[in-house]
Amino acid sequence: MDTIPEGTVFEAFNISSETWDAGSHWSASSIDKMIIIEGSVKDDHSLTMNAIGDQKSIFVGGLRNSFRHLICRSIDGEKQIEFTHYRASQITNEHKKLNYLLYVHPTGKKWAIAENHTKVVVMFKNDQTDGRWVLYENNSIDLTTDAGHAEWIKVIRSKQGKGYNLDGTCTYNGIIKQ
Protein backbone atom coordinates (compact mmCIF):
# COMPACT_ATOMS: atom_id res chain seq x y z
CA MET A 1 0.00 0.00 0.00
CA ASP A 2 2.99 2.29 0.48
CA THR A 3 3.35 2.54 -3.31
CA ILE A 4 -0.09 4.18 -3.67
CA PRO A 5 0.16 7.97 -3.43
CA GLU A 6 -2.13 9.56 -0.86
CA GLY A 7 -5.15 11.14 -2.53
CA THR A 8 -5.24 8.64 -5.40
CA VAL A 9 -8.85 8.22 -6.55
CA PHE A 10 -10.08 4.85 -7.81
CA GLU A 11 -13.10 3.86 -9.88
CA ALA A 12 -14.43 0.73 -8.22
CA PHE A 13 -16.97 -2.00 -8.88
CA ASN A 14 -18.24 -4.49 -6.37
CA ILE A 15 -17.96 -7.98 -7.80
CA SER A 16 -20.59 -9.61 -5.59
CA SER A 17 -22.97 -6.94 -4.25
CA GLU A 18 -24.53 -3.78 -5.65
CA THR A 19 -24.89 -2.48 -2.10
CA TRP A 20 -21.31 -3.19 -0.92
CA ASP A 21 -22.40 -5.64 1.78
CA ALA A 22 -19.98 -6.97 4.39
CA GLY A 23 -17.91 -9.80 2.93
CA SER A 24 -18.37 -8.68 -0.67
CA HIS A 25 -15.37 -8.29 -2.96
CA TRP A 26 -14.41 -5.31 -5.12
CA SER A 27 -11.95 -4.34 -7.84
CA ALA A 28 -10.75 -0.80 -8.61
CA SER A 29 -8.60 1.08 -11.11
CA SER A 30 -6.99 4.44 -10.40
CA ILE A 31 -8.39 7.30 -12.47
CA ASP A 32 -5.15 7.39 -14.48
CA LYS A 33 -5.42 3.58 -15.00
CA MET A 34 -1.89 3.04 -13.59
CA ILE A 35 -2.84 1.14 -10.40
CA ILE A 36 -5.25 -1.78 -10.02
CA ILE A 37 -6.36 -2.88 -6.55
CA GLU A 38 -8.71 -5.52 -5.18
CA GLY A 39 -10.21 -5.98 -1.76
CA SER A 40 -13.23 -6.78 0.32
CA VAL A 41 -15.72 -5.07 2.62
CA LYS A 42 -15.33 -5.73 6.35
CA ASP A 43 -18.20 -6.30 8.79
CA ASP A 44 -18.00 -2.63 9.87
CA HIS A 45 -18.30 -1.63 6.16
CA SER A 46 -14.72 -0.36 6.02
CA LEU A 47 -12.54 -1.55 3.16
CA THR A 48 -9.57 -3.87 3.16
CA MET A 49 -7.15 -4.17 0.25
CA ASN A 50 -6.03 -7.68 -0.68
CA ALA A 51 -4.00 -7.14 -3.87
CA ILE A 52 -2.28 -4.42 -5.88
CA GLY A 53 -1.08 -4.37 -9.47
CA ASP A 54 -0.19 -1.98 -12.29
CA GLN A 55 -1.76 -1.08 -15.64
CA LYS A 56 -0.68 -4.48 -17.01
CA SER A 57 -2.83 -6.25 -14.41
CA ILE A 58 -6.26 -7.51 -15.34
CA PHE A 59 -9.06 -5.27 -14.09
CA VAL A 60 -12.05 -7.35 -13.03
CA GLY A 61 -15.23 -5.35 -13.54
CA GLY A 62 -18.19 -5.85 -11.31
CA LEU A 63 -21.86 -5.05 -11.05
CA ARG A 64 -22.74 -1.88 -13.00
CA ASN A 65 -24.95 -0.40 -10.26
CA SER A 66 -22.21 -0.88 -7.66
CA PHE A 67 -19.92 1.82 -9.15
CA ARG A 68 -18.22 3.90 -6.45
CA HIS A 69 -15.15 6.09 -6.07
CA LEU A 70 -12.55 5.08 -3.49
CA ILE A 71 -9.61 7.15 -2.23
CA CYS A 72 -6.27 6.42 -0.58
CA ARG A 73 -5.94 8.40 2.66
CA SER A 74 -3.27 8.51 5.31
CA ILE A 75 -4.78 8.09 8.77
CA ASP A 76 -2.43 8.22 11.77
CA GLY A 77 0.48 7.67 9.37
CA GLU A 78 -1.06 4.55 7.85
CA LYS A 79 -2.51 4.51 4.33
CA GLN A 80 -6.03 3.19 3.95
CA ILE A 81 -8.55 2.81 1.13
CA GLU A 82 -11.88 4.48 1.91
CA PHE A 83 -15.12 5.41 0.20
CA THR A 84 -15.11 9.02 -1.04
CA HIS A 85 -17.51 11.43 0.68
CA TYR A 86 -19.50 11.92 -2.52
CA ARG A 87 -21.62 9.67 -4.73
CA ALA A 88 -20.55 8.92 -8.28
CA SER A 89 -22.10 7.19 -11.29
CA GLN A 90 -20.24 5.58 -14.15
CA ILE A 91 -20.09 7.93 -17.15
CA THR A 92 -21.70 6.46 -20.25
CA ASN A 93 -21.87 7.60 -23.88
CA GLU A 94 -25.43 8.72 -23.15
CA HIS A 95 -24.15 11.17 -20.51
CA LYS A 96 -21.56 12.50 -22.97
CA LYS A 97 -24.31 13.43 -25.45
CA LEU A 98 -26.18 15.65 -22.97
CA ASN A 99 -26.16 19.42 -22.64
CA TYR A 100 -25.60 20.83 -19.15
CA LEU A 101 -26.44 24.05 -17.34
CA LEU A 102 -23.16 25.14 -15.73
CA TYR A 103 -23.26 26.86 -12.33
CA VAL A 104 -20.23 28.43 -10.67
CA HIS A 105 -19.78 29.34 -6.99
CA PRO A 106 -17.73 32.41 -6.01
CA THR A 107 -15.29 30.04 -4.25
CA GLY A 108 -14.52 28.32 -7.57
CA LYS A 109 -16.63 25.22 -7.05
CA LYS A 110 -18.50 24.15 -10.18
CA TRP A 111 -21.74 22.26 -10.61
CA ALA A 112 -23.68 21.30 -13.73
CA ILE A 113 -27.05 19.68 -14.30
CA ALA A 114 -28.26 18.03 -17.49
CA GLU A 115 -31.02 20.00 -19.13
CA ASN A 116 -32.25 17.32 -21.53
CA HIS A 117 -32.51 13.93 -19.87
CA THR A 118 -35.15 11.74 -18.22
CA LYS A 119 -33.19 11.47 -14.94
CA VAL A 120 -31.39 14.07 -12.85
CA VAL A 121 -27.76 13.99 -13.97
CA VAL A 122 -25.34 16.31 -12.21
CA MET A 123 -21.62 16.87 -12.52
CA PHE A 124 -19.55 18.59 -9.87
CA LYS A 125 -15.99 19.68 -9.25
CA ASN A 126 -14.64 20.93 -5.94
CA ASP A 127 -11.92 20.36 -3.33
CA GLN A 128 -13.53 17.11 -2.24
CA THR A 129 -13.16 15.68 -5.75
CA ASP A 130 -9.54 16.85 -5.94
CA GLY A 131 -10.36 19.11 -8.87
CA ARG A 132 -11.80 16.30 -10.99
CA TRP A 133 -15.26 16.35 -12.55
CA VAL A 134 -17.53 13.67 -11.09
CA LEU A 135 -20.89 12.64 -12.52
CA TYR A 136 -23.83 11.46 -10.44
CA GLU A 137 -27.16 10.23 -11.82
CA ASN A 138 -30.14 10.23 -9.47
CA ASN A 139 -32.31 7.39 -10.75
CA SER A 140 -35.08 8.01 -8.22
CA ILE A 141 -36.34 11.22 -9.89
CA ASP A 142 -38.24 10.66 -13.14
CA LEU A 143 -38.15 13.84 -15.23
CA THR A 144 -40.89 12.59 -17.54
CA THR A 145 -43.41 13.41 -14.79
CA ASP A 146 -44.53 16.78 -13.41
CA ALA A 147 -43.40 15.74 -9.91
CA GLY A 148 -39.98 14.80 -11.25
CA HIS A 149 -39.60 18.09 -13.10
CA ALA A 150 -40.58 19.94 -9.89
CA GLU A 151 -37.78 18.03 -8.08
CA TRP A 152 -35.30 19.02 -10.85
CA ILE A 153 -36.21 22.69 -10.30
CA LYS A 154 -35.89 22.19 -6.52
CA VAL A 155 -32.36 20.80 -6.96
CA ILE A 156 -31.35 23.83 -9.07
CA ARG A 157 -32.88 26.31 -6.59
CA SER A 158 -31.05 24.58 -3.76
CA LYS A 159 -27.71 25.22 -5.51
CA GLN A 160 -28.68 28.81 -6.28
CA GLY A 161 -29.54 29.24 -2.60
CA LYS A 162 -25.99 28.14 -1.78
CA GLY A 163 -24.51 30.89 -3.98
CA TYR A 164 -24.10 29.10 -7.32
CA ASN A 165 -24.76 31.30 -10.37
CA LEU A 166 -25.65 30.16 -13.89
CA ASP A 167 -22.61 30.51 -16.16
CA GLY A 168 -24.17 29.12 -19.35
CA THR A 169 -25.00 25.96 -21.24
CA CYS A 170 -22.25 23.49 -22.18
CA THR A 171 -21.85 20.11 -23.79
CA TYR A 172 -20.20 17.34 -21.79
CA ASN A 173 -16.87 18.05 -23.53
CA GLY A 174 -17.25 21.74 -22.73
CA ILE A 175 -17.87 20.96 -19.07
CA ILE A 176 -14.84 18.73 -18.56
CA LYS A 177 -12.57 21.41 -20.07
CA GLN A 178 -13.66 23.85 -17.35
Side-chain angles (χ1 to χ4, degrees), residues 5-130:
E6 184 176 358
T8 301
V9 176
F10 294 87
E11 294 181 316
F13 289 94
N14 196 300
I15 299 166
S16 54
S17 168
E18 289 184 355
T19 57
W20 294 75
D21 297 327
S24 62
H25 296 277
W26 52 267
S27 182
S29 173
S30 60
I31 297 284
D32 64 5
K33 309 293 186 221
M34 298 299 285
I35 305 169
I36 307 293
I37 58 175
E38 293 180 355
S40 57
V41 180
K42 296 182 193 176
D43 289 339
D44 64 0
H45 294 284
S46 64
L47 302 174
T48 184
M49 191 177 76
N50 303 329
I52 185 170
D54 59 21
Q55 75 268 22
K56 295 175 188 159
S57 302
I58 296 173
F59 176 73
V60 178
L63 304 171
R64 184 180 187 276
N65 291 334
S66 72
F67 184 81
R68 299 282 299 262
H69 277 190
L70 310 178
I71 190 164
C72 179
R73 297 246 192 250
S74 184
I75 300 173
D76 297 328
E78 186 177 321
K79 289 185 180 173
Q80 297 179 9
I81 300 295
E82 300 181 329
F83 292 110
T84 57
H85 296 292
Y86 57 81
R87 292 160 75 184
S89 298
Q90 187 177 20
I91 299 171
T92 66
N93 286 332
E94 184 179 1
H95 296 127
K96 292 178 182 180
K97 293 177 185 175
L98 299 174
N99 289 318
Y100 294 83
L101 300 172
L102 175 63
Y103 289 82
V104 179
H105 193 273
T107 62
K109 296 184 280 188
K110 295 183 179 183
W111 182 82
I113 187 165
E115 66 171 353
N116 54 345
H117 197 48
T118 59
K119 302 291 181 201
V120 173
V121 177
V122 299
M123 294 183 67
F124 55 95
K125 176 180 176 179
N126 55 39
D127 293 342
Q128 194 177 40
T129 67
D130 197 27

